[in-house]
Amino acid sequence: MSADAAGLGRASRLLRAGGVCAFPTETVYGLGASAFSPTAIAEIYRLKNRPTWNPLIVHAVDVDMARGLARVWPEAAAVLADRFWPGPLSLVVDRADHVPDAVSAGTGTVALRVPAHPVARELLAECALPLAAPSANRSESVSPTCAEHVVRTLPDVPLVVDGGPCRWGIESTVVDVTCTPPRLLRPGALPLRMLRDVIGVIDCPQAAAVVGAARSPGMGRRHYAPRARVVLVDDFGAFGLDGLPKPCGILTHDVPDAALTGSAAHVEVLPDDPAGYGADLYAALHRLDDSGMDTVAVLAPPKGEEWMAIRDRLDRASAGPGLTA
Ligand code: AMP
Ligand code: MG
């Protein structure tokens, strides 16, 4: 469904009637429903096969709407919202009593974000509801960065508003502001450095970058994974693709040598800057799956903090089944 007035009108009526629909944000496509409708929220969990202990991010049209969903609005929330909203930052606050527990998954808190994508903003304004909207994919698998990804991976979603490819291509940064100092729960599209410049110290448990912090229940070990098995490789020179199940594709940010590309069944070369890499990462994983790879050998991204969100997603994509939190 195109994101014109007719399409947005239909999506808005569906949401107001307690239905679900997928829509674009600047991070990834979301599967949205009224944050006030427990039955619509239950439908999100069902369609995604999402465990009920994993809470949802609620999208608001502006700071006032977001604030109305919080029991208290800490100073850190005010400062961060003022600087980074609309944008790819989700703030975890104590939830107001009228927010259904289904959104919070029993945590007593709610994650809030004001998205920057013009289609998301128009939809939020038109339906005049806060929208709970996790990424529009099956639980644990690769997030969608264009409408076609949603249609293919969640064919039962009744309506997908098409707003073209997502600008960031990687999920929002999630920060818990119920504690002092604020705490990073999920690295994401908004770089940590920019948060620090505004708020000073941020508690950044090592775990958030590797196995997920206990306070963000959704950060299971295996997540963001394509169908193919992902193997992180520090240096292709050492062993090439020897010993990896075939067909095997390569995902790299370096210029691959001819011998390596010759032995790979599908090669994806992404930009070697974190924003460019993040913007195409999930689409590249979708393409590798589409071309039938059994294995994807990924050149490990650089170690710097600006690559933190990408390393996090690739670590989780490469975690084996059975390790899910
Ligand atoms: P998704 O919308 O699928 O990209 O995932 C949302 C992320 O935000 C997951 O990692 C959730 O665990 C996290 N999240 C959402 N709500 C909360 C909350 N109330 N407390 C802590 N983490 C949350
Ligand atoms: Mg998700």
Side-chain angles (χ1 to χ4, degrees):
M1 168 73 53
S2 63
D4 55 13
L8 287 170
R10 224 183 109 195
S12 170
R13 285 191 296 279
L14 186 60
L15 291 164
R16 290 201 62 83
V20 302
C21 89
F23 64 91
T25 80
E26 73 277 26
T27 58
V28 301
Y29 272 68
L31 181 60
S34 166
F36 294 140
S37 168
T39 52
I41 290 162
E43 181 65 357
I44 289 182
Y45 280 93
R46 189 188 72 79
L47 286 165
K48 277 182 62 77
N49 195 30
R50 185 174 174 105
T52 49
W53 43 257
N54 190 359
L56 307 178
I57 294 174
V58 176
H59 296 66
V61 72
D62 56 22
V63 180
D64 285 345
M65 182 190 267
R67 211 181 154 139
L69 304 169
R71 194 172 57 75
V72 281
W73 196 242
E75 175 64 15
V79 171
L80 290 170
D82 184 55
R83 172 65 183 79
F84 295 115
W85 283 357
L89 172 67
S90 299
L91 298 173
V92 171
V93 294
D94 288 326
R95 82 175 155 87
D97 290 340
H98 65 287
V99 176
D101 189 43
V103 168
S104 310
T107 59
T109 57
V110 61
L112 300 168
R113 171 165 114 80
V114 174
H117 196 293
V119 173
R121 296 182 64 70
E122 278 176 53
L123 186 59
L124 283 160
E126 178 144 354
C127 72
L129 285 168
L131 297 176
S135 52
N137 53 280
R138 298 277 291 176
S139 191
E140 292 187 11
S141 61
V142 179
S143 300
T145 57
C146 65
E148 197 206 334
H149 293 157
V150 184
V151 173
R152 278 171 27 202
T153 55
L154 290 179
D156 293 340
V157 171
L159 198 156
V160 182
V161 181
D162 188 350
C166 301
R167 175 185 167 198
W168 291 107
I170 201 149
E171 296 82 357
S172 62
T173 303
V174 182
V175 174
D176 182 355
V177 288
T178 63
C179 46
T180 309
R183 184 168 172 211
L184 179 73
L185 298 181
R186 174 176 75 180
L190 189 73
L192 200 52
R193 181 184 45 77
M194 290 182 68
L195 285 168
R196 276 209 206 90
D197 286 350
V198 171
I199 203 92
V201 179
I202 293 193
D203 183 16
C204 182
Q206 274 297 91
V210 187
V211 288
R215 299 221 35 205
S216 196
M219 294 303 277
R221 182 72 178 93
R222 180 175 166 84
H223 209 134
Y224 314 106
R227 186 193 42 74
R229 171 163 281 271
V230 173
V231 179
L232 283 171
V233 177
D234 284 325
D235 176 9
F236 280 119
F239 69 108
L241 303 180
D242 291 354
L244 293 177
K246 308 286 184 304
C248 180
I250 294 172
L251 179 63
T252 178
H253 54 281
D254 204 2
V255 181
D257 69 33
L260 186 61
T261 41
S263 61
H266 184 127
V267 180
E268 290 283 347
V269 183
L270 298 184
D272 70 354
D273 68 281
Y277 189 108
D280 204 27
L281 171 60
Y282 292 150
L285 291 174
H286 279 286
R287 291 193 291 271
L288 283 151
D289 262 353
D290 292 346
S291 62
M293 297 302 102
D294 266 4
T295 318
V296 178
V298 180
L299 182 63
K303 302 255 181 282
E305 186 181 278
E306 65 282 15
W307 287 88
M308 188 178 186
I310 286 164
R311 276 201 314 277
D312 171 82
R313 303 305 188 268
L314 287 171
D315 278 344
R316 292 174 204 281
S318 64
L323 290 167
T324 308

